[in-house]
Amino acid sequence: MASNHLTGIGSESKQLATWYFTFAIILFGAQLLFGLVAAIQYVMPGFLFELLDFSVARMIHINALVVWMVFAMFGSVYWLLPDETGIETVGIKIGKLLYWVFVAAIVVVVLVYLIVQVGPADEMSIWFIHEGREYIEAPRWADWGIVVVALGFVANLFMTGIKGKQTGIVTVLMADMLAFAGLYLAGMFFTDNISVDQYWWWWVIHLWVEATWEVFVGALAAYALITIIGAKRQVVEMWLWIEVAMLFGSGILGMGHHYFWIGTPEYWWEIGALFSALEPLPLVAMFIHVLYDWGKETGLQMAEGAEGHAIAGHTITNKPAFTWIVLNAFGNFLGAGIWGFFHTLPQVNLYTHGTQFTSAHGHLAFFGAYATILIGMMYLAIQGTNGIKVLKHTKSSIAGIWMIAGGVMGMGIALTIAGYVQVLVSRAQMGATWAGYFDGQSGMWFSQAMDWRLIMGVVTFLGFAFLIKDFLSTGKNPVHER
Amino acid sequence: MAKKSVWSDNRFWQRSAAWVTGFASILLIWLTFDTSVQIAMGTDADLQNGVTKRVPGPTVINYKITYEMSTARGHEVPVIGEKELFFGRDDYSEEEAGALLHLGKLGSQTKNCMNCHTLLGNGAYYAPDLTKAWLDPAWGPEGSMQAMTGKETKEEAMAEFLQHPSTYPTHARMMPNLGITAEEAKGLVAFLKHMSSIDTNGFPRNFGKIKGAVHGK
Ligand code: HEM
Ligand code: HEM
Ligand SMILES: [Fe+2]
């Protein structure tokens, strides 16, 4: 199973991947900065009031989040495609052009968010400022730009998959990316009916994060297990198909857990509860899969020496990448699986719906399921572009991992406590009125939790600084085996 | 060589994945047709004939709305009562009310309410949920907001607040001025009133029913 993942050099597809990763990590930094602004406003409400209000900071925080992940996902595909298919990506020149179109569009969108912020209540604002719909606020003109870029990306993937070797991983990616791009269309219309609005809005948000993106992560993890620890493709791809069946089987109808209270009929209570309660199962399976393969390959290595592995004496050829991928397996299970299950039954969700508890889950899930593995992919690209055989940890890579993962976990715990107060005081006791809302917000446990969230956010940001330092310096570090 | 089991055959799992996905998708699409019919906006005729719709038509702004316990369903539901003045009128035509709601829904998006508030429970957690804001006791005759804004009616008080929110703060965490015009404010209040009439299966629970039970007070 000779793989050329060690030599990114000379592949245009891999070069484009590094461009995608670079812009992604810049946006990740922007995401954290604007998250900090929003978190400070919880603690000091006067901070940047009527200059850069919470709504603007939050919009940039979550848009940067979605966009950096999409960038890193595109980058990951361009990175692994030559390895999987055995050929250079077809249409790479157009891919590179579209990259610049995408970057330019994002920069313009963010500048308009920052400078114009809000517009009059008319269609022009929707077309040129923002749509005001959480996560997919991008103005309509940018929506069409995104559609064009995504179509170009999907076309490159399909042409390469058909021309080259079509492995199981590539097949899954082709189907998955088509669905991923297609779903975006469900979020591109305006309606006066807010129930209809939110019904379709969830088609984008839920069917992305709990269906198509999860399958994407399954495919990335499969690729990573094969390249980093030399797991057997036949077995890994079988697992991948089982994961696809479980993820789509539970995730598609699991969407019902967002249809409990938005005006939609009662039958979604049962459908949402049943299918979304099954959603954690594939996440447990994926966690076990990674640990199992790791143990198995280590055992083989010890029993047979170097046989079957690329490099003597190492089961793991990229330590930081593998650490992030194990964190992904665990974080996906914890943030999406456990925290998701907590509030997915309608009896519970009636009270937790739209509280800090949702935010706790949102942070742990997005971080655990996606940020982790995408950072892992970036480490694979660093290894490849620098021609490194075994990439080892450095002080910065370890500090980055501990502080980012610890910081996000700390924020998750703080938000969970805040959510608990809000559920008890604002919802159960006070029945969700304006006054009830602020009774919950002013409680001691709540306000201390907000302090801790901010502190843990700063820890996360410092961890990010270590990560960047490592990204910039580790390629030249002499500790690695070349 | 031992006979290969079907359970370790990639083709088998690939086909299973395709079938499961196809089946789930078809079920979702089928349910979407049913739900779409049920959440389509009602008409003025529905309101006049007392036909209950999950999402009533825009002329619901001509009526009084309350949120009452339904013993049959075991939770609160919005109840549309007798006529009620809204900015001095209770005879908005379907077109007029529709235009107000359209303006309000546009405003809710272009002013980004959802990145501070939750609407139907979705959005941001920095400010109160707006699902039933129209029914919030603070805006009613016993609440403080009418006196604070110097207005005689709920809708005028709300419109005044929305135009100059930071002039009428009730908490350190204030709502900023979003450049909302008088006309836009009227549309937004219509939008909020309409939203409070949507049947949300009992969310939020016990809305406004319990007063002052916190910390034993
Ligand atoms: C990686 C996968 C996942 C991600 C990234 C994710 C992310 C999110 C986010 C960001 C929200 C908040 C949406 C908003 O802003 O309104 C949310 C809501 C929710 N998630 Fe997840 N989620 C994931 C998986 C799951 C799973 C597996 C479950 C259930 C077992 C689940 C259950 C829920 C529920 C019930 C809500 C609604 C919360 C509310 O009513 O306010 N999620 N999710
Ligand atoms: C410096 C660290 C961070 C800080 C201080 C921070 C702060 C915040 C704040 C204040 C909000 C608004 C919540 C609300 O509406 O009340 C938010 C929302 C959100 N953040 Fe972060 N954040 C940070 C890092 C992250 C990371 C690393 C991720 C994921 C990878 C993330 C994902 C999200 C998501 C998905 C939401 C929307 C949640 C929802 O609607 O339920 N954030 N963040
Ligand atoms: Fe979901």
Side-chain angles (χ1 to χ4, degrees):
Chain A
M1 205 184 329
S3 135
N4 62 331
H5 71 279
L6 295 177
T7 53
I9 305 137
S11 158
E12 280 200 77
S13 190
K14 292 195 173 223
Q15 187 194 25
L16 177 55
T18 60
W19 295 0
Y20 266 111
F21 287 144
T22 307
F23 195 63
I25 203 73
I26 294 171
L27 282 176
F28 185 26
Q31 184 211 342
L32 296 181
L33 278 179
F34 283 93
L36 284 174
V37 170
I40 293 172
Q41 287 170 333
Y42 261 101
V43 177
M44 296 189 327
F47 184 67
L48 298 180
F49 184 72
E50 292 188 341
L51 284 172
L52 185 97
D53 284 311
F54 182 86
S55 46
V56 180
R58 186 185 195 272
M59 173 166 66
I60 299 179
H61 178 60
I62 60 178
N63 278 207
L65 161 78
V66 172
V67 175
W68 87 252
M69 292 195 168
V70 170
F71 264 70
M73 287 164 74
F74 283 15
S76 302
V77 170
Y78 281 120
W79 183 265
L80 62 77
L81 216 44
D83 296 342
E84 288 291 310
T85 59
I87 60 170
E88 175 66 289
T89 301
V90 181
I92 194 70
K93 290 278 178 297
I94 295 174
K96 287 186 169 177
L97 178 72
L98 289 177
Y99 169 83
W100 290 111
V101 173
F102 204 0
V103 170
I106 302 298
V107 171
V108 173
V109 167
V110 172
L111 286 178
V112 171
Y113 284 176
L114 267 175
I115 296 163
V116 186
Q117 298 188 356
V118 288
D122 56 28
E123 296 271 355
M124 287 293 276
S125 303
I126 303 268
W127 270 88
F128 297 104
I129 303 174
H130 62 68
E131 289 180 35
R133 295 167 77 214
E134 223 195 338
Y135 304 106
I136 46 176
E137 284 97 343
R140 192 61 50 77
W141 73 264
D143 283 349
W144 286 107
I146 291 166
V147 168
V148 170
V149 171
L151 280 181
F153 165 77
V154 171
N156 281 0
L157 171 60
F158 269 71
M159 289 186 301
T160 317
I162 289 166
K163 188 170 159 215
K165 188 152 53 70
Q166 195 177 327
T167 60
I169 293 178
V170 173
T171 312
V172 169
L173 282 177
M174 283 163 67
D176 192 53
M177 289 288 105
L178 190 65
F180 168 32
L183 283 168
Y184 192 71
L185 297 171
M188 284 176 53
F189 68 100
F190 176 86
T191 163
D192 292 339
N193 185 332
I194 188 159
S195 297
V196 173
D197 181 324
Q198 295 200 355
Y199 186 86
W200 292 101
W201 177 75
W202 281 116
W203 274 58
V204 187
I205 311 306
H206 172 101
L207 291 182
W208 271 8
V209 299
E210 285 163 68
T212 48
W213 291 29
E214 282 286 5
V215 166
F216 182 85
V217 162
L220 276 194
Y223 168 80
L225 288 174
I226 294 170
T227 42
I228 303 177
I229 62 173
K232 202 159 161 258
R233 176 177 292 273
Q234 217 264 325
V235 180
V236 170
E237 289 193 339
M238 186 184 87
W239 269 96
L240 179 58
W241 285 115
I242 297 174
E243 283 159 15
V244 172
M246 290 171 81
L247 286 167
F248 280 150
S250 60
I252 291 175
L253 288 164
M255 186 149 64
H257 65 188
H258 303 296
Y259 296 161
F260 297 154
W261 329 111
I262 64 166
T264 36
E266 283 99 332
Y267 55 69
W268 288 108
W269 281 345
E270 284 84 13
I271 294 169
L274 175 64
F275 286 93
S276 72
L278 296 174
E279 282 183 47
L281 288 180
L283 308 180
V284 178
M286 286 160 86
F287 179 46
I288 295 173
H289 174 196
V290 169
L291 289 192
Y292 177 83
D293 274 7
W294 183 11
K296 191 183 109 195
E297 295 306 322
T298 312
L300 277 178
Q301 175 83 23
M302 273 152 51
E304 303 168 8
E307 219 177 316
H309 289 275
I311 296 113
H314 294 280
T315 312
I316 301 169
T317 56
N318 187 329
K319 288 269 164 63
F322 196 68
T323 310
W324 280 106
I325 279 154
V326 172
L327 262 180
N328 169 74
F330 182 64
N332 201 352
F333 156 68
L334 187 79
I338 304 274
W339 253 263
F341 186 77
F342 270 170
H343 62 165
T344 206
L345 299 178
Q347 294 88 334
V348 178
N349 193 260
L350 174 58
Y351 296 98
T352 58
H353 183 44
T355 62
Q356 297 294 336
F357 197 89
T358 310
S359 186
H361 159 68
H363 279 88
L364 292 178
F366 257 109
F367 176 77
Y370 304 120
T372 45
I373 198 162
L374 294 170
I375 296 174
M377 288 302 294
M378 293 177 190
Y379 268 111
L380 278 183
I382 288 173
Q383 180 186 26
T385 38
N386 289 289
I388 295 169
K389 284 210 185 78
V390 180
L391 187 82
K392 296 182 179 166
H393 272 302
T394 62
K395 283 207 176 70
S396 312
S397 75
I398 292 175
I401 286 167
W402 276 105
M403 291 173 75
I404 297 177
V408 174
M409 192 65 218
M411 288 198 294
I413 292 170
L415 291 170
T416 303
I417 294 171
Y420 191 68
V421 177
Q422 212 180 342
V423 166
L424 287 183
V425 177
S426 301
R427 290 294 174 76
Q429 272 191 297
M430 297 292 286
T433 56
W434 182 356
Y437 173 85
F438 276 102
D439 275 327
Q441 301 284 307
S442 55
M444 184 187 72
W445 282 87
F446 188 97
S447 46
Q448 287 192 356
M450 287 297 126
D451 297 343
W452 278 104
R453 188 263 296 275
L454 180 54
I455 294 167
M456 287 299 161
V458 172
V459 172
T460 309
F461 191 76
L462 293 177
F464 173 76
F466 277 108
L467 183 74
I468 293 297
K469 175 170 175 274
D470 201 52
F471 276 2
L472 293 175
S473 60
T474 196
K476 303 282 165 288
N477 196 320
V479 297
H480 310 307
E481 282 177 33
R482 280 162 211 271
Chain B
M1 206 178 88
K3 196 168 166 286
K4 205 165 175 297
S5 158
V6 66
W7 298 108
S8 60
D9 175 20
N10 285 21
R11 291 290 300 168
F12 168 75
W13 288 110
Q14 181 173 358
R15 284 204 198 96
S16 308
W19 277 104
V20 168
T21 308
F23 186 71
S25 307
I26 287 169
L27 208 56
L28 175 66
I29 290 167
W30 180 62
L31 289 166
T32 296
F33 277 111
D34 183 76
T35 297
S36 297
V37 174
Q38 293 206 43
I39 63 177
M41 222 181 258
T43 60
D44 195 36
D46 289 335
L47 284 165
Q48 280 169 12
N49 301 330
V51 177
T52 327
K53 294 294 258 182
R54 300 192 66 92
V55 183
T59 44
V60 74
I61 59 172
N62 290 324
Y63 297 85
K64 186 177 168 68
I65 299 162
T66 50
Y67 193 47
E68 285 163 31
M69 185 52 109
S70 151
T71 35
R73 293 178 62 186
H75 54 72
E76 293 119 309
V77 289
V79 176
I80 296 161
E82 71 266 29
K83 285 273 180 122
E84 175 186 82
L85 291 177
F86 186 72
F87 291 103
R89 289 177 53 190
D90 62 5
D91 58 352
Y92 290 90
S93 70
E94 202 139 32
E95 288 70 40
E96 287 172 314
L100 268 185
L101 179 63
H102 179 65
L103 181 67
K105 175 65 168 32
L106 273 173
S108 78
Q109 291 184 217
T110 63
K111 305 294 179 186
N112 222 344
C113 314
M114 215 183 169
N115 265 313
C116 284
H117 293 273
T118 44
L119 310 175
L120 302 179
N122 291 312
Y125 321 117
Y126 190 66
D129 180 52
L130 294 181
T131 310
K132 305 289 173 199
W134 172 257
L135 306 173
D136 199 287
W139 296 108
E142 265 126 65
S144 57
M145 290 312 287
Q146 293 187 22
M148 195 178 198
T149 53
K151 300 287 174 189
E152 306 280 279
T153 65
K154 189 194 271 195
E155 58 273 19
E156 284 167 322
M158 276 184 137
E160 173 64 19
F161 171 80
L162 288 176
Q163 289 169 70
H164 316 283
S166 43
T167 316
Y168 307 105
T170 44
H171 297 91
R173 195 188 298 165
M174 286 188 282
M175 173 160 158
N177 191 331
L178 299 166
I180 296 171
T181 65
E183 197 48 35
E184 285 171 347
K186 206 171 156 186
L188 283 166
V189 178
F191 166 74
L192 291 175
K193 182 167 183 182
H194 175 261
M195 183 158 59
S196 75
S197 74
I198 296 176
D199 182 345
T200 49
N201 292 340
F203 172 85
R205 197 63 186 266
N206 292 327
F207 185 79
K209 288 291 171 331
I210 310 167
K211 296 188 184 88
V214 172
H215 311 313
K217 271 186 277 176

